[in-house]
Amino acid sequence: MAVESAPRQGASGGAAPQHPGAAGNDESPGLRRASLGVADIAFFVVSAAAPLTVMAGVAPLAIGVGGVGAPVGYLLAGAALTLFAVGFTAMTRHVRHSGGFYAFITRGLGRPAGFGAATVALLAYNGMQIGVYGLLATGTQDALEALWGIHVPWPAIAIAGVFVIWFLGYRSIEFGAKVLGVLLLAETGILVLLAGGVLLDGGGEGLALDSFTPDSVLVPGTGAVLAFAFAAFTGFESTAIYRREARDPGRTIPRATYIAVGFLGLFYAFCVWIVIQAFGSSQIMKAVTTDPMGLFFTATTQYVGGWAADLMHIFIVTSIIASQLAFHNAINRYGLSLAQEGVLPKALGKVHPRHRSPYVAGIAQSILALCFVTGFALAGADPYQQLLLWMNTPGGLGLMALQAVTAVAVLCYFRRIRHEEGRWRTLIAPLAATVLMAGAMWLVVSKIGLMTGAPFATNVVLVLLVPAAFVLGVLIALRVRRNRPEVYAHFADEPDEPDDAHDADNTDNADEAAR
Protein backbone atom coordinates (compact mmCIF):
# COMPACT_ATOMS: atom_id res chain seq x y z
CA MET A 1 0.00 0.00 0.00
CA ALA A 2 1.56 3.28 -1.14
CA VAL A 3 1.97 6.08 1.35
CA GLU A 4 3.62 8.82 -0.72
CA SER A 5 0.49 10.80 -1.59
CA ALA A 6 0.07 14.50 -0.91
CA PRO A 7 -0.77 15.49 2.67
CA ARG A 8 -4.26 16.43 3.67
CA GLN A 9 -4.92 19.96 2.52
CA GLY A 10 -5.43 22.50 5.23
CA ALA A 11 -4.93 20.11 8.11
CA SER A 12 -2.04 22.02 9.55
CA GLY A 13 -3.35 25.49 8.80
CA GLY A 14 -6.43 25.46 10.95
CA ALA A 15 -8.90 24.56 8.20
CA ALA A 16 -11.16 21.59 8.69
CA PRO A 17 -9.69 18.47 7.08
CA GLN A 18 -11.44 16.76 4.20
CA HIS A 19 -12.98 13.76 5.92
CA PRO A 20 -14.12 10.74 3.91
CA GLY A 21 -17.76 11.02 3.13
CA ALA A 22 -17.92 14.78 3.49
CA ALA A 23 -18.45 15.11 -0.21
CA GLY A 24 -21.05 13.20 -2.06
CA ASN A 25 -24.08 15.34 -2.79
CA ASP A 26 -25.22 15.67 -6.36
CA GLU A 27 -23.62 19.10 -6.76
CA SER A 28 -20.09 17.80 -6.11
CA PRO A 29 -17.99 15.17 -7.88
CA GLY A 30 -18.51 12.58 -5.16
CA LEU A 31 -20.28 9.23 -4.96
CA ARG A 32 -24.01 9.50 -5.61
CA ARG A 33 -25.78 9.67 -2.25
CA ALA A 34 -28.97 7.78 -1.36
CA SER A 35 -28.90 5.71 -4.55
CA LEU A 36 -28.93 2.17 -3.09
CA GLY A 37 -31.71 0.48 -1.18
CA VAL A 38 -31.71 -2.72 0.86
CA ALA A 39 -32.22 -4.95 -2.20
CA ASP A 40 -29.43 -3.24 -4.17
CA ILE A 41 -26.85 -3.71 -1.42
CA ALA A 42 -28.02 -7.25 -0.76
CA PHE A 43 -27.54 -8.02 -4.48
CA PHE A 44 -23.93 -6.82 -4.28
CA VAL A 45 -23.24 -8.93 -1.22
CA VAL A 46 -24.94 -12.15 -2.32
CA SER A 47 -23.47 -11.82 -5.82
CA ALA A 48 -19.97 -11.64 -4.33
CA ALA A 49 -20.60 -15.06 -2.78
CA ALA A 50 -21.56 -16.50 -6.24
CA PRO A 51 -24.18 -19.05 -5.02
CA LEU A 52 -24.38 -21.12 -8.20
CA THR A 53 -20.60 -21.36 -8.54
CA VAL A 54 -20.25 -22.32 -4.87
CA MET A 55 -22.89 -25.01 -5.21
CA ALA A 56 -21.78 -26.54 -8.51
CA GLY A 57 -18.05 -26.15 -7.93
CA VAL A 58 -17.47 -26.48 -4.18
CA ALA A 59 -20.47 -28.17 -2.55
CA PRO A 60 -19.63 -31.59 -4.10
CA LEU A 61 -16.24 -31.41 -2.37
CA ALA A 62 -17.96 -30.62 0.93
CA ILE A 63 -20.26 -33.60 0.46
CA GLY A 64 -17.27 -35.76 -0.41
CA VAL A 65 -15.57 -35.08 2.94
CA GLY A 66 -18.67 -34.63 5.14
CA GLY A 67 -21.15 -37.09 3.67
CA VAL A 68 -24.91 -36.55 3.85
CA GLY A 69 -24.53 -34.28 6.89
CA ALA A 70 -22.86 -31.55 4.79
CA PRO A 71 -25.95 -29.26 4.73
CA VAL A 72 -25.64 -28.69 8.48
CA GLY A 73 -22.13 -27.29 7.98
CA TYR A 74 -23.60 -24.41 5.97
CA LEU A 75 -26.26 -23.79 8.62
CA LEU A 76 -23.62 -23.68 11.36
CA ALA A 77 -21.45 -21.29 9.37
CA GLY A 78 -24.46 -19.08 8.73
CA ALA A 79 -25.36 -19.06 12.43
CA ALA A 80 -21.81 -18.08 13.42
CA LEU A 81 -21.72 -15.25 10.89
CA THR A 82 -25.14 -14.06 12.05
CA LEU A 83 -23.64 -13.65 15.52
CA PHE A 84 -20.83 -11.64 13.96
CA ALA A 85 -23.39 -9.51 12.14
CA VAL A 86 -25.08 -8.56 15.44
CA GLY A 87 -22.11 -6.54 16.69
CA PHE A 88 -21.07 -5.51 13.18
CA THR A 89 -24.44 -3.94 12.38
CA ALA A 90 -24.63 -2.32 15.83
CA MET A 91 -21.36 -0.57 15.04
CA THR A 92 -22.63 0.65 11.65
CA ARG A 93 -25.13 2.79 13.56
CA HIS A 94 -22.31 4.57 15.41
CA VAL A 95 -19.42 4.66 12.92
CA ARG A 96 -20.45 6.63 9.83
CA HIS A 97 -17.12 6.27 8.05
CA SER A 98 -17.40 4.17 4.87
CA GLY A 99 -14.05 2.41 5.34
CA GLY A 100 -15.71 -0.77 6.53
CA PHE A 101 -13.38 -3.06 8.45
CA TYR A 102 -10.52 -0.64 8.87
CA ALA A 103 -12.76 2.12 10.22
CA PHE A 104 -14.34 -0.22 12.78
CA ILE A 105 -11.00 -1.64 13.85
CA THR A 106 -9.52 1.85 14.16
CA ARG A 107 -12.38 2.87 16.44
CA GLY A 108 -12.00 -0.17 18.67
CA LEU A 109 -8.29 -0.97 18.63
CA GLY A 110 -6.52 2.21 17.53
CA ARG A 111 -4.99 3.66 14.39
CA PRO A 112 -2.02 1.26 14.00
CA ALA A 113 -4.43 -1.69 13.98
CA GLY A 114 -6.65 0.25 11.57
CA PHE A 115 -3.78 0.71 9.12
CA GLY A 116 -3.01 -3.00 9.44
CA ALA A 117 -6.66 -3.84 8.74
CA ALA A 118 -6.68 -1.59 5.67
CA THR A 119 -3.64 -3.38 4.24
CA VAL A 120 -5.18 -6.80 4.91
CA ALA A 121 -8.44 -5.66 3.30
CA LEU A 122 -6.63 -4.60 0.12
CA LEU A 123 -4.81 -7.95 0.03
CA ALA A 124 -7.97 -9.94 0.74
CA TYR A 125 -10.37 -8.28 -1.67
CA ASN A 126 -7.81 -8.13 -4.48
CA GLY A 127 -6.86 -11.76 -3.87
CA MET A 128 -10.49 -12.84 -4.08
CA GLN A 129 -11.27 -10.74 -7.16
CA ILE A 130 -8.14 -11.45 -9.18
CA GLY A 131 -8.03 -15.15 -8.38
CA VAL A 132 -11.55 -15.64 -9.67
CA TYR A 133 -10.36 -14.71 -13.18
CA GLY A 134 -8.91 -18.22 -13.20
CA LEU A 135 -12.33 -19.62 -12.36
CA LEU A 136 -13.93 -17.41 -15.01
CA ALA A 137 -11.50 -18.82 -17.56
CA THR A 138 -12.11 -22.47 -16.69
CA GLY A 139 -15.88 -21.98 -16.33
CA THR A 140 -16.09 -20.30 -19.73
CA GLN A 141 -13.91 -22.97 -21.30
CA ASP A 142 -16.20 -25.68 -19.93
CA ALA A 143 -19.30 -23.88 -21.19
CA LEU A 144 -17.89 -23.29 -24.69
CA GLU A 145 -16.72 -26.89 -25.03
CA ALA A 146 -19.92 -28.41 -23.60
CA LEU A 147 -22.29 -26.29 -25.70
CA TRP A 148 -20.43 -25.67 -28.95
CA GLY A 149 -17.25 -27.74 -28.89
CA ILE A 150 -15.07 -24.62 -28.99
CA HIS A 151 -11.77 -24.36 -27.17
CA VAL A 152 -10.39 -20.94 -26.26
CA PRO A 153 -7.07 -20.52 -24.37
CA TRP A 154 -7.71 -19.50 -20.79
CA PRO A 155 -5.54 -16.32 -20.81
CA ALA A 156 -7.66 -14.82 -23.60
CA ILE A 157 -10.83 -15.39 -21.57
CA ALA A 158 -9.35 -14.02 -18.36
CA ILE A 159 -7.95 -10.90 -20.04
CA ALA A 160 -11.27 -10.24 -21.78
CA GLY A 161 -12.92 -10.63 -18.36
CA VAL A 162 -10.70 -7.91 -16.89
CA PHE A 163 -11.98 -5.42 -19.47
CA VAL A 164 -15.62 -6.47 -18.99
CA ILE A 165 -15.41 -6.03 -15.21
CA TRP A 166 -13.61 -2.71 -15.62
CA PHE A 167 -16.39 -1.37 -17.86
CA LEU A 168 -19.18 -2.53 -15.55
CA GLY A 169 -17.42 -0.99 -12.55
CA TYR A 170 -16.78 2.25 -14.49
CA ARG A 171 -20.51 2.76 -14.94
CA SER A 172 -22.77 4.06 -12.20
CA ILE A 173 -23.48 2.06 -9.05
CA GLU A 174 -27.17 1.88 -10.02
CA PHE A 175 -26.18 0.29 -13.34
CA GLY A 176 -24.04 -2.25 -11.49
CA ALA A 177 -26.88 -3.04 -9.08
CA LYS A 178 -29.25 -3.72 -11.99
CA VAL A 179 -26.73 -5.99 -13.70
CA LEU A 180 -26.11 -7.92 -10.50
CA GLY A 181 -29.83 -8.20 -9.82
CA VAL A 182 -30.46 -9.84 -13.19
CA LEU A 183 -27.47 -12.18 -12.94
CA LEU A 184 -28.31 -13.18 -9.37
CA LEU A 185 -31.90 -14.01 -10.27
CA ALA A 186 -30.65 -16.15 -13.15
CA GLU A 187 -28.21 -18.20 -11.08
CA THR A 188 -30.56 -18.72 -8.15
CA GLY A 189 -33.44 -19.42 -10.53
CA ILE A 190 -31.72 -22.42 -12.10
CA LEU A 191 -31.08 -23.89 -8.64
CA VAL A 192 -34.71 -23.33 -7.71
CA LEU A 193 -35.73 -25.21 -10.86
CA LEU A 194 -33.54 -28.14 -9.81
CA ALA A 195 -35.06 -28.06 -6.32
CA GLY A 196 -38.57 -28.03 -7.75
CA GLY A 197 -37.84 -31.00 -9.97
CA VAL A 198 -36.37 -33.07 -7.14
CA LEU A 199 -39.18 -32.20 -4.71
CA LEU A 200 -41.91 -33.02 -7.25
CA ASP A 201 -40.26 -36.30 -8.28
CA GLY A 202 -39.36 -37.39 -4.77
CA GLY A 203 -35.63 -37.77 -5.36
CA GLY A 204 -33.60 -40.89 -5.96
CA GLU A 205 -34.79 -42.76 -2.86
CA GLY A 206 -37.62 -40.65 -1.52
CA LEU A 207 -37.17 -37.41 0.40
CA ALA A 208 -35.43 -37.89 3.76
CA LEU A 209 -34.12 -35.72 6.60
CA ASP A 210 -31.22 -37.95 7.60
CA SER A 211 -28.82 -35.11 6.70
CA PHE A 212 -29.85 -33.40 9.94
CA THR A 213 -29.45 -36.31 12.37
CA PRO A 214 -26.54 -36.38 14.87
CA ASP A 215 -25.13 -39.57 13.33
CA SER A 216 -24.75 -37.80 9.97
CA VAL A 217 -23.41 -34.54 11.35
CA LEU A 218 -20.96 -35.76 14.00
CA VAL A 219 -18.45 -37.33 11.62
CA PRO A 220 -14.69 -36.73 11.17
CA GLY A 221 -15.22 -34.70 7.99
CA THR A 222 -17.46 -32.06 9.59
CA GLY A 223 -14.49 -29.78 10.29
CA ALA A 224 -13.56 -29.77 6.62
CA VAL A 225 -17.18 -29.07 5.66
CA LEU A 226 -17.17 -26.03 7.97
CA ALA A 227 -14.00 -24.80 6.28
CA PHE A 228 -15.69 -24.98 2.88
CA ALA A 229 -18.88 -23.45 4.28
CA PHE A 230 -17.25 -20.39 5.87
CA ALA A 231 -15.42 -19.70 2.61
CA ALA A 232 -18.77 -19.77 0.79
CA PHE A 233 -19.99 -16.64 2.62
CA THR A 234 -17.11 -14.48 1.46
CA GLY A 235 -18.04 -10.86 0.88
CA PHE A 236 -21.23 -10.59 2.94
CA GLU A 237 -19.63 -8.03 5.27
CA SER A 238 -19.05 -5.51 2.46
CA THR A 239 -22.42 -3.85 3.13
CA ALA A 240 -20.75 -1.12 5.22
CA ILE A 241 -18.55 -0.06 2.29
CA TYR A 242 -21.64 1.27 0.47
CA ARG A 243 -22.68 3.55 3.34
CA ARG A 244 -22.20 6.78 1.41
CA GLU A 245 -24.41 5.51 -1.42
CA ALA A 246 -27.11 3.91 0.75
CA ARG A 247 -30.54 5.34 1.47
CA ASP A 248 -30.99 5.72 5.24
CA PRO A 249 -27.77 3.76 5.96
CA GLY A 250 -28.56 3.35 9.66
CA ARG A 251 -31.35 0.98 8.64
CA THR A 252 -30.41 -0.11 5.12
CA ILE A 253 -27.01 -1.58 5.97
CA PRO A 254 -28.12 -3.77 8.92
CA ARG A 255 -31.10 -5.07 6.98
CA ALA A 256 -29.02 -5.86 3.89
CA THR A 257 -26.42 -7.63 6.05
CA TYR A 258 -28.96 -9.85 7.81
CA ILE A 259 -30.81 -10.60 4.57
CA ALA A 260 -27.56 -11.57 2.84
CA VAL A 261 -26.18 -13.87 5.54
CA GLY A 262 -29.60 -15.37 6.28
CA PHE A 263 -30.36 -16.04 2.63
CA LEU A 264 -26.95 -17.56 1.93
CA GLY A 265 -27.02 -19.86 4.96
CA LEU A 266 -30.50 -21.22 4.29
CA PHE A 267 -30.12 -21.35 0.50
CA TYR A 268 -26.77 -23.15 0.61
CA ALA A 269 -28.00 -25.75 3.10
CA PHE A 270 -31.21 -26.29 1.10
CA CYS A 271 -29.40 -26.73 -2.23
CA VAL A 272 -26.86 -29.17 -0.79
CA TRP A 273 -29.71 -31.18 0.76
CA ILE A 274 -31.55 -31.12 -2.59
CA VAL A 275 -28.64 -32.55 -4.56
CA ILE A 276 -28.21 -35.29 -1.94
CA GLN A 277 -31.89 -36.16 -2.34
CA ALA A 278 -31.51 -36.16 -6.12
CA PHE A 279 -29.17 -39.17 -5.91
CA GLY A 280 -30.30 -40.63 -2.59
CA SER A 281 -28.35 -40.92 0.65
CA SER A 282 -26.97 -44.35 -0.23
CA GLN A 283 -25.76 -43.30 -3.71
CA ILE A 284 -24.55 -39.71 -3.24
CA MET A 285 -21.00 -40.63 -2.21
CA LYS A 286 -20.60 -42.85 -5.27
CA ALA A 287 -21.85 -40.02 -7.50
CA VAL A 288 -19.44 -37.54 -5.88
CA THR A 289 -16.51 -39.90 -6.29
CA THR A 290 -17.36 -40.62 -9.93
CA ASP A 291 -17.92 -37.05 -11.16
CA PRO A 292 -17.85 -34.34 -8.47
CA MET A 293 -17.85 -31.36 -10.87
CA GLY A 294 -20.71 -32.84 -12.85
CA LEU A 295 -22.91 -33.56 -9.82
CA PHE A 296 -25.30 -30.63 -10.20
CA PHE A 297 -25.31 -30.87 -14.01
CA THR A 298 -26.27 -34.56 -13.89
CA ALA A 299 -29.02 -33.89 -11.36
CA THR A 300 -30.37 -30.96 -13.38
CA THR A 301 -30.41 -33.00 -16.60
CA GLN A 302 -32.32 -35.81 -14.87
CA TYR A 303 -34.90 -33.77 -12.98
CA VAL A 304 -35.35 -30.71 -15.21
CA GLY A 305 -33.89 -31.44 -18.62
CA GLY A 306 -30.78 -31.07 -20.75
CA TRP A 307 -31.74 -27.54 -21.68
CA ALA A 308 -31.54 -26.52 -18.01
CA ALA A 309 -28.08 -28.09 -17.67
CA ASP A 310 -27.00 -26.06 -20.71
CA LEU A 311 -28.34 -22.93 -19.05
CA MET A 312 -26.47 -23.85 -15.89
CA HIS A 313 -23.19 -23.79 -17.84
CA ILE A 314 -23.99 -20.25 -19.00
CA PHE A 315 -25.25 -19.06 -15.62
CA ILE A 316 -22.11 -20.30 -13.88
CA VAL A 317 -20.13 -17.92 -16.10
CA THR A 318 -22.50 -15.03 -15.33
CA SER A 319 -22.36 -15.97 -11.64
CA ILE A 320 -18.58 -15.61 -11.69
CA ILE A 321 -18.85 -12.26 -13.48
CA ALA A 322 -21.33 -11.03 -10.88
CA SER A 323 -18.98 -12.09 -8.08
CA GLN A 324 -16.04 -10.31 -9.67
CA LEU A 325 -18.03 -7.12 -10.23
CA ALA A 326 -19.13 -7.09 -6.59
CA PHE A 327 -15.54 -7.48 -5.36
CA HIS A 328 -14.28 -4.94 -7.92
CA ASN A 329 -16.75 -2.37 -6.62
CA ALA A 330 -15.77 -3.10 -3.01
CA ILE A 331 -12.04 -2.73 -3.76
CA ASN A 332 -12.62 0.54 -5.59
CA ARG A 333 -14.45 2.00 -2.60
CA TYR A 334 -11.69 0.93 -0.24
CA GLY A 335 -9.19 2.62 -2.57
CA LEU A 336 -11.33 5.75 -2.79
CA SER A 337 -11.66 5.97 0.98
CA LEU A 338 -7.94 5.45 1.64
CA ALA A 339 -7.03 8.00 -1.04
CA GLN A 340 -9.30 10.55 0.59
CA GLU A 341 -7.60 9.73 3.89
CA GLY A 342 -4.30 10.77 2.31
CA VAL A 343 -2.85 7.25 2.62
CA LEU A 344 -3.11 6.08 -0.99
CA PRO A 345 -2.24 8.39 -3.92
CA LYS A 346 -4.63 11.32 -4.23
CA ALA A 347 -5.59 10.41 -7.81
CA LEU A 348 -7.36 7.26 -6.60
CA GLY A 349 -9.85 9.50 -4.80
CA LYS A 350 -11.28 10.89 -8.04
CA VAL A 351 -14.94 10.23 -8.85
CA HIS A 352 -16.33 10.26 -12.39
CA PRO A 353 -18.36 13.45 -12.95
CA ARG A 354 -21.14 11.63 -14.81
CA HIS A 355 -21.24 8.06 -13.53
CA ARG A 356 -20.17 9.03 -9.99
CA SER A 357 -17.99 5.95 -9.78
CA PRO A 358 -14.43 5.78 -8.33
CA TYR A 359 -13.15 5.28 -11.85
CA VAL A 360 -9.43 5.92 -11.24
CA ALA A 361 -9.37 3.33 -8.46
CA GLY A 362 -11.19 1.00 -10.87
CA ILE A 363 -8.55 1.53 -13.55
CA ALA A 364 -5.77 0.87 -11.05
CA GLN A 365 -7.42 -2.33 -9.81
CA SER A 366 -7.98 -3.56 -13.37
CA ILE A 367 -4.34 -2.90 -14.28
CA LEU A 368 -3.26 -4.85 -11.20
CA ALA A 369 -5.53 -7.73 -12.21
CA LEU A 370 -4.18 -7.63 -15.76
CA CYS A 371 -0.61 -7.83 -14.46
CA PHE A 372 -1.36 -10.86 -12.28
CA VAL A 373 -3.34 -12.69 -14.97
CA THR A 374 -0.61 -12.05 -17.53
CA GLY A 375 2.10 -13.13 -15.09
CA PHE A 376 0.38 -16.42 -14.28
CA ALA A 377 -0.23 -17.03 -17.99
CA LEU A 378 3.41 -16.38 -18.96
CA ALA A 379 4.52 -18.72 -16.17
CA GLY A 380 2.39 -21.51 -17.63
CA ALA A 381 0.30 -21.73 -14.46
CA ASP A 382 -2.95 -23.63 -14.20
CA PRO A 383 -5.87 -21.17 -14.02
CA TYR A 384 -7.76 -23.18 -11.39
CA GLN A 385 -5.10 -24.89 -9.26
CA GLN A 386 -2.79 -21.88 -9.15
CA LEU A 387 -4.35 -18.57 -10.23
CA LEU A 388 -7.64 -19.24 -8.43
CA LEU A 389 -6.52 -21.18 -5.36
CA TRP A 390 -3.25 -19.40 -4.72
CA MET A 391 -4.90 -15.97 -4.90
CA ASN A 392 -8.16 -16.87 -3.17
CA THR A 393 -6.54 -18.61 -0.19
CA PRO A 394 -4.92 -15.50 1.37
CA GLY A 395 -7.98 -13.55 0.24
CA GLY A 396 -10.43 -15.74 2.12
CA LEU A 397 -8.18 -16.03 5.17
CA GLY A 398 -7.72 -12.27 5.18
CA LEU A 399 -11.46 -11.64 5.24
CA MET A 400 -11.96 -14.17 8.04
CA ALA A 401 -9.16 -12.54 10.03
CA LEU A 402 -10.74 -9.12 9.55
CA GLN A 403 -14.06 -10.47 10.80
CA ALA A 404 -12.43 -11.92 13.92
CA VAL A 405 -10.50 -8.72 14.68
CA THR A 406 -13.60 -6.63 14.00
CA ALA A 407 -15.52 -8.69 16.58
CA VAL A 408 -12.81 -7.81 19.13
CA ALA A 409 -12.97 -4.16 18.06
CA VAL A 410 -16.73 -4.12 18.67
CA LEU A 411 -16.16 -5.35 22.22
CA CYS A 412 -13.56 -2.66 22.91
CA TYR A 413 -15.45 0.14 21.19
CA PHE A 414 -18.68 -0.23 23.13
CA ARG A 415 -16.76 -0.43 26.41
CA ARG A 416 -15.45 3.10 25.78
CA ILE A 417 -18.54 5.04 24.72
CA ARG A 418 -21.99 5.80 26.04
CA HIS A 419 -24.65 3.88 24.13
CA GLU A 420 -28.04 2.21 24.42
CA GLU A 421 -27.38 -0.88 22.32
CA GLY A 422 -27.71 -3.49 25.08
CA ARG A 423 -25.41 -6.27 26.27
CA TRP A 424 -26.51 -8.74 23.58
CA ARG A 425 -25.29 -6.54 20.72
CA THR A 426 -22.20 -5.15 22.42
CA LEU A 427 -20.90 -8.00 24.58
CA ILE A 428 -22.51 -11.43 24.29
CA ALA A 429 -22.83 -11.74 20.50
CA PRO A 430 -19.44 -10.11 19.71
CA LEU A 431 -17.69 -12.30 22.30
CA ALA A 432 -19.28 -15.44 20.86
CA ALA A 433 -18.42 -14.27 17.34
CA THR A 434 -14.77 -13.74 18.34
CA VAL A 435 -14.50 -17.31 19.61
CA LEU A 436 -16.35 -18.79 16.64
CA MET A 437 -14.42 -16.81 14.01
CA ALA A 438 -11.10 -17.77 15.65
CA GLY A 439 -12.24 -21.40 15.58
CA ALA A 440 -13.28 -21.09 11.95
CA MET A 441 -9.87 -19.71 11.02
CA TRP A 442 -8.19 -22.60 12.82
CA LEU A 443 -10.36 -25.06 10.90
CA VAL A 444 -9.58 -23.46 7.55
CA VAL A 445 -5.84 -23.30 8.23
CA SER A 446 -5.79 -26.90 9.46
CA LYS A 447 -7.56 -28.05 6.27
CA ILE A 448 -5.67 -25.73 3.94
CA GLY A 449 -3.99 -28.57 2.07
CA LEU A 450 -7.37 -30.11 1.31
CA MET A 451 -8.63 -26.79 -0.08
CA THR A 452 -5.58 -25.84 -2.18
CA GLY A 453 -3.99 -29.14 -3.16
CA ALA A 454 -0.64 -27.29 -2.97
CA PRO A 455 2.63 -28.40 -1.36
CA PHE A 456 3.20 -27.67 2.33
CA ALA A 457 5.71 -24.87 1.66
CA THR A 458 3.28 -23.11 -0.69
CA ASN A 459 0.49 -23.35 1.87
CA VAL A 460 2.73 -21.84 4.56
CA VAL A 461 3.47 -18.85 2.32
CA LEU A 462 -0.20 -18.39 1.45
CA VAL A 463 -1.23 -18.42 5.11
CA LEU A 464 1.58 -16.13 6.28
CA LEU A 465 0.71 -13.46 3.69
CA VAL A 466 -2.18 -12.34 5.92
CA PRO A 467 -0.23 -11.58 9.13
CA ALA A 468 2.57 -10.16 6.98
CA ALA A 469 0.13 -7.69 5.42
CA PHE A 470 -1.11 -6.66 8.85
CA VAL A 471 2.44 -6.06 10.10
CA LEU A 472 3.18 -4.05 6.96
CA GLY A 473 0.14 -1.87 7.67
CA VAL A 474 1.29 -1.24 11.24
CA LEU A 475 4.75 -0.25 9.99
CA ILE A 476 3.13 2.13 7.50
CA ALA A 477 1.10 3.61 10.34
CA LEU A 478 4.27 4.31 12.33
CA ARG A 479 5.90 5.90 9.31
CA VAL A 480 2.88 8.08 8.57
CA ARG A 481 2.67 9.11 12.24
CA ARG A 482 6.30 10.21 12.10
CA ASN A 483 6.41 11.86 8.67
CA ARG A 484 2.83 13.07 8.15
CA PRO A 485 1.23 13.44 11.56
CA GLU A 486 -1.76 15.36 10.19
CA VAL A 487 -2.73 12.38 8.01
CA TYR A 488 -2.29 9.97 10.91
CA ALA A 489 -4.29 12.19 13.28
CA HIS A 490 -7.33 12.23 10.97
CA PHE A 491 -7.18 8.59 9.81
CA ALA A 492 -10.70 7.06 9.83
CA ASP A 493 -12.22 10.30 11.17
CA GLU A 494 -15.98 10.60 10.98
CA PRO A 495 -17.42 12.57 8.04
CA ASP A 496 -17.91 16.30 8.61
CA GLU A 497 -21.64 16.03 7.94
CA PRO A 498 -24.09 13.37 9.25
CA ASP A 499 -25.62 11.23 6.55
CA ASP A 500 -29.07 11.36 8.15
CA ALA A 501 -30.80 12.65 11.25
CA HIS A 502 -30.56 9.28 12.96
CA ASP A 503 -26.77 9.28 12.62
CA ALA A 504 -26.58 12.84 13.86
CA ASP A 505 -28.00 11.65 17.16
CA ASN A 506 -25.34 8.96 17.44
CA THR A 507 -22.35 11.29 17.86
CA ASP A 508 -20.01 9.91 20.50
CA ASN A 509 -16.64 10.52 22.08
CA ALA A 510 -14.74 7.56 20.60
CA ASP A 511 -12.02 9.52 18.77
CA GLU A 512 -9.59 9.02 21.67
CA ALA A 513 -9.86 5.25 21.16
CA ALA A 514 -8.37 5.61 17.69
CA ARG A 515 -5.26 7.52 18.79
Side-chain angles (χ1 to χ4, degrees):
M1 181 168 59
V3 296
E4 299 303 325
S5 59
R8 193 181 302 272
Q9 294 297 318
S12 60
Q18 177 73 27
H19 300 321
N25 56 50
D26 285 334
E27 287 74 40
S28 65
L31 298 175
R32 184 170 285 118
R33 301 295 295 269
S35 57
L36 300 177
V38 173
D40 298 321
I41 297 176
F43 280 144
F44 278 111
V45 174
V46 176
S47 295
L52 178 57
T53 304
V54 167
M55 288 295 95
V58 181
L61 303 179
I63 297 171
V65 297
V68 297
V72 175
Y74 291 89
L75 291 177
L76 292 175
L81 291 172
T82 299
L83 281 174
F84 167 79
V86 172
F88 178 78
T89 55
M91 206 155 177
T92 63
R93 289 190 284 271
H94 293 259
V95 179
R96 295 183 290 111
H97 193 286
S98 58
F101 282 136
Y102 82 77
F104 292 177
I105 291 171
T106 298
R107 286 290 185 279
L109 301 176
R111 290 188 177 93
F115 272 83
T119 311
V120 172
L122 291 176
L123 168 74
Y125 281 104
N126 275 292
M128 296 300 298
Q129 201 271 347
I130 295 172
V132 175
Y133 282 112
L135 185 61
L136 175 65
T138 56
T140 304
Q141 280 183 325
D142 290 344
L144 291 174
E145 292 176 358
L147 299 178
W148 299 290
I150 301 172
H151 177 77
V152 178
W154 78 261
I157 298 171
I159 291 171
V162 172
F163 286 97
V164 170
I165 298 302
W166 163 79
F167 174 75
L168 293 175
Y170 171 79
R171 296 293 302 272
S172 68
I173 194 70
E174 300 98 320
F175 177 81
K178 291 175 182 176
V179 170
L180 289 178
V182 172
L183 298 183
L184 182 61
L185 289 175
E187 63 176 300
T188 54
I190 199 70
L191 290 170
V192 170
L193 279 178
L194 170 60
V198 173
L199 292 174
L200 290 173
D201 186 86
E205 299 172 345
L207 301 179
L209 297 177
D210 52 347
S211 291
F212 307 98
T213 61
D215 289 343
S216 298
V217 175
L218 300 177
V219 297
T222 299
V225 173
L226 285 171
F228 285 115
F230 273 103
F233 287 81
T234 299
F236 88 92
E237 73 297 320
S238 63
T239 50
I241 300 172
Y242 298 101
R243 182 179 191 93
R244 277 188 266 177
E245 296 154 289
R247 294 192 291 269
D248 190 8
R251 295 180 176 85
T252 300
I253 292 172
R255 290 175 183 175
T257 304
Y258 283 120
I259 288 172
V261 71
F263 170 80
L264 289 173
L266 295 173
F267 191 68
Y268 285 154
F270 175 68
C271 289
V272 175
W273 177 76
I274 280 291
V275 81
I276 292 171
Q277 301 311 301
F279 292 90
S281 297
S282 66
Q283 298 297 315
I284 185 63
M285 297 305 291
K286 179 181 178 181
V288 169
T289 303
T290 303
D291 185 16
M293 294 300 100
L295 193 70
F296 275 79
F297 294 99
T298 300
T300 301
T301 299
Q302 178 179 346
Y303 290 96
V304 184
W307 63 271
D310 291 342
L311 280 180
M312 185 174 282
H313 277 290
I314 296 172
F315 290 160
I316 282 179
V317 175
T318 61
S319 169
I320 298 168
I321 291 173
S323 175
Q324 288 186 296
L325 176 58
F327 278 115
H328 179 71
N329 282 327
I331 297 164
N332 295 348
R333 280 150 183 79
Y334 263 111
L336 174 74
S337 184
L338 288 167
Q340 291 179 342
E341 300 275 14
V343 178
L344 287 178
K346 185 178 179 181
L348 297 178
K350 292 183 178 180
V351 175
H352 195 279
R354 177 185 175 188
H355 299 305
R356 311 296 284 277
S357 61
Y359 72 108
V360 178
I363 292 171
Q365 199 280 327
S366 297
I367 292 173
L368 181 65
L370 192 62
C371 290
F372 270 93
V373 168
T374 304
F376 273 85
L378 291 177
D382 182 86
Y384 187 93
Q385 292 293 331
Q386 293 169 316
L387 176 55
L388 172 67
L389 297 180
W390 288 11
M391 295 293 291
N392 270 198
T393 297
L397 284 173
L399 291 177
M400 293 182 72
L402 288 171
Q403 290 167 1
V405 177
T406 298
V408 176
V410 171
L411 288 168
C412 296
Y413 175 77
F414 283 112
R415 303 283 72 76
R416 293 177 175 145
I417 68 164
R418 296 186 301 274
H419 62 85
E420 298 179 356
E421 293 289 348
R423 292 173 62 84
W424 166 247
R425 291 176 175 173
T426 64
L427 178 61
I428 299 172
L431 183 60
T434 300
V435 174
L436 290 173
M437 294 309 302
M441 282 198 66
W442 178 83
L443 279 174
V444 172
V445 171
S446 68
K447 305 294 182 181
I448 201 72
L450 179 65
M451 300 178 73
T452 66
F456 176 79
T458 300
N459 287 330
V460 170
V461 172
L462 296 177
V463 171
L464 290 181
L465 281 173
V466 176
F470 186 85
V471 171
L472 175 62
V474 173
L475 294 176
I476 290 172
L478 299 178
R479 181 181 177 184
V480 171
R481 185 173 64 182
R482 181 179 65 252
N483 297 338
R484 293 183 293 156
E486 73 284 356
V487 172
Y488 182 84
H490 293 294
F491 183 74
D493 271 0
E494 289 291 81
D496 293 331
E497 299 295 331
D499 49 18
D500 58 27
H502 173 76
D503 285 335
D505 294 335
N506 273 334
T507 302
D508 54 56
N509 58 357
D511 282 344
E512 282 297 319
R515 294 188 187 279

